[in-house]
Amino acid sequence: MQKVTVQSPANIAFIKYWGQTKHNLFIPRNDNISMTLSGCITTTTVERSPDITKDTIEVRTKNGTYELLSQNSTKGKKAYEQIERIRKMAGSTDHVAVKSENSFPSDAGIASSASGFSALTGALLISFGKKDMFDNKKEFSKEVRLCGSASAARSVYGGFVELHGGNSHDEAFAEQLANEHYWNLVDIIATVDDDKKKTSSSAGHAAADSSPYYQSPVQVIQPRIDRTIQAIQDKNIKLLGPCIEEDTISMHMVMMTSVPPAYYWQPGTLAVMQDVMHLRNDEHIEVYFSIDAGANVHVICEKKDAAIIENALKQNKLVQSIIYNEPCEGTKQINTHLF
Ligand code: DP6
């Protein structure tokens, strides 16, 4: 009997990953850039033993009990396949019992796949004797990518991280741009909808090419990627903010014009975007929005402005909850187990 526990954060993409070059290897079409989120952490314990007869993954619910993750759910399928893949790579026949919990409400509509899959992959690699792979973050990030939620690969490092696109497994790895102490940037997540998203990211990546607005990503996106890296290096929110918003809007334009289309926004999404624009234009606060494949809004600002922005967002009747995040360290092993 051997237990391994790993903790990992979610991340918010400043430059989004949407669309793939190789669907079977989950290789992003373009390089994408994110920041880790201190308020959205998953902890996962894996127990491996020849006495366990069947793989199980249980996820902690809000009332504290554990619920079995079904193999038939999108997430469950990816997670059980990741176990199978790593077991095979390690040449083992052992099964595992997995338990997992999130530091943030799992019913708030916040994507937990990045934190969940990076934590699971890390704990599995160590459990199956591949600690060298876990410690080599470049290799580790590629293993995480293969779980099918490629954005999770950005969670292996702390702070500000780039996941490369490309055409082969070896090209598509993550690397750190700056660590979690480099810049006091904050992501205040304003949740406005707790529904499960109706179009999965996998379906969205597959449909992206059908949008007329998804034609020349390299020419359009590369200058934005360069500006984003420069902005992080210079800690320049005035340069970063417009890149974040432009990238969010172009991704949602592709989503809404794909066949079939995906509309993620809700009335609360627009209401928070308007709050952000009001704070920026009328109150002269450097604050910007980012929206993933869901309705909730990530409000990005510097720490010195966070309290006033958080208060303003709390006045918005369509905001259900707030999750405050600073950049934090990436995936790490810890010594306390969940069971
Ligand atoms: C919109 O295929 O990694 O969040 O499995 O839903 O996490 P999930 O998605 P994945 O695509 C991420 C899509 C995105 C943008 C991003 O994080 O880069």
Side-chain angles (χ1 to χ4, degrees):
M1 187 188 79
Q2 182 223 24
K3 280 185 194 172
V4 174
T5 300
V6 165
Q7 244 175 20
S8 196
N11 63 71
I12 177 64
F14 295 158
I15 298 291
K16 311 287 186 190
Y17 148 51
W18 198 249
Q20 299 156 330
T21 54
K22 297 245 183 304
H23 296 299
N24 57 335
L25 292 173
F26 315 102
I27 298 181
R29 179 69 68 86
N30 59 272
D31 294 358
N32 41 98
I33 297 172
S34 65
M35 178 180 102
T36 48
L37 301 177
S38 63
C40 301
I41 308 277
T42 298
T43 305
T44 298
T45 299
V46 168
E47 180 181 5
R48 172 171 80 97
S49 159
D51 302 333
I52 300 175
T53 52
K54 182 172 168 262
D55 297 327
T56 53
I57 302 175
E58 291 174 88
V59 181
R60 198 175 153 101
T61 62
K62 74 173 170 206
N63 54 27
T65 56
Y66 280 93
E67 210 169 66
L68 191 69
L69 184 65
S70 158
Q71 306 240 16
N72 299 324
S73 64
T74 319
K75 212 172 193 177
K77 188 170 177 293
K78 287 180 182 173
Y80 287 100
E81 281 175 5
Q82 186 74 331
I83 298 175
E84 191 58 49
R85 205 180 59 74
I86 291 174
R87 173 172 39 232
K88 213 167 147 194
M89 177 172 70
S92 169
T93 51
D94 288 352
H95 287 92
V96 291
V98 179
K99 284 196 179 179
S100 195
E101 71 173 39
N102 291 332
S103 70
F104 51 105
S106 44
D107 56 356
I110 296 298
S112 53
S113 52
S115 54
F117 283 117
S118 46
L120 175 69
T121 306
L124 287 169
L125 286 175
I126 301 170
S127 274
F128 281 105
K130 296 273 171 195
K131 174 103 171 36
D132 51 336
M133 211 165 205
F134 175 79
D135 291 334
N136 179 336
K137 294 219 175 280
K138 181 175 171 183
E139 290 309 310
F140 176 35
S141 71
K142 285 154 54 185
E143 289 305 308
V144 175
R145 195 194 79 240
L146 290 177
C147 74
S149 284
S151 58
R154 298 185 305 241
S155 289
V156 313
Y157 293 97
F160 303 85
V161 182
E162 179 168 17
L163 169 65
H164 294 283
N167 286 296
S168 69
H169 176 62
D170 283 337
E171 284 176 321
F173 61 90
E175 69 180 322
Q176 190 178 51
L177 296 171
N179 74 23
E180 60 275 22
H181 308 294
Y182 188 71
W183 189 8
N184 281 340
L185 217 56
V186 164
D187 174 4
I188 305 167
I189 306 175
T191 74
V192 296
D193 181 37
D194 53 16
D195 263 6
K196 285 231 170 351
K197 57 186 176 197
K198 289 178 188 65
T199 304
S200 70
S201 298
S202 321
H205 295 304
D209 275 311
S210 63
S211 162
Y213 297 100
Y214 194 69
Q215 293 302 319
S216 48
V218 176
Q219 292 89 313
V220 179
I221 291 181
Q222 197 54 51
R224 194 185 299 145
I225 294 173
D226 297 342
R227 284 203 306 277
T228 301
I229 294 174
Q230 188 67 51
I232 291 170
Q233 274 167 5
D234 298 349
K235 304 180 196 172
N236 181 347
I237 192 163
K238 276 198 166 127
L239 181 60
L240 180 70
C243 297
I244 296 178
E245 290 193 353
E246 259 171 59
D247 200 73
T248 288
I249 297 303
S250 27
M251 180 180 72
H252 281 271
M253 200 163 78
V254 168
M255 290 163 159
M256 291 188 238
T257 52
S258 292
V259 184
Y263 301 96
Y264 292 105
W265 296 1
Q266 294 292 330
T269 314
L270 273 167
V272 175
M273 289 162 80
Q274 279 166 344
D275 285 346
V276 168
M277 288 187 267
H278 162 71
L279 287 164
R280 192 165 69 231
N281 298 333
D282 304 326
E283 310 289 334
H284 308 292
I285 300 171
E286 288 299 320
V287 55
Y288 299 87
F289 59 78
S290 178
I291 306 154
D292 277 340
N296 299 321
V297 186
H298 294 252
V299 178
I300 313 291
C301 62
E302 287 183 306
K303 191 173 178 176
K304 65 178 175 55
D305 297 320
I308 187 163
I309 294 166
E310 195 170 326
N311 269 333
L313 294 172
K314 280 183 180 155
Q315 310 302 314
N316 187 326
K317 298 227 167 17
L318 295 174
V319 171
Q320 295 169 354
S321 64
I322 296 277
I323 303 174
Y324 175 88
N325 299 276
E326 294 182 5
C328 65
E329 58 190 327
T331 315
K332 63 171 185 197
Q333 184 173 12
I334 59 168
N335 294 325
T336 40
H337 305 303
L338 290 179
F339 64 100

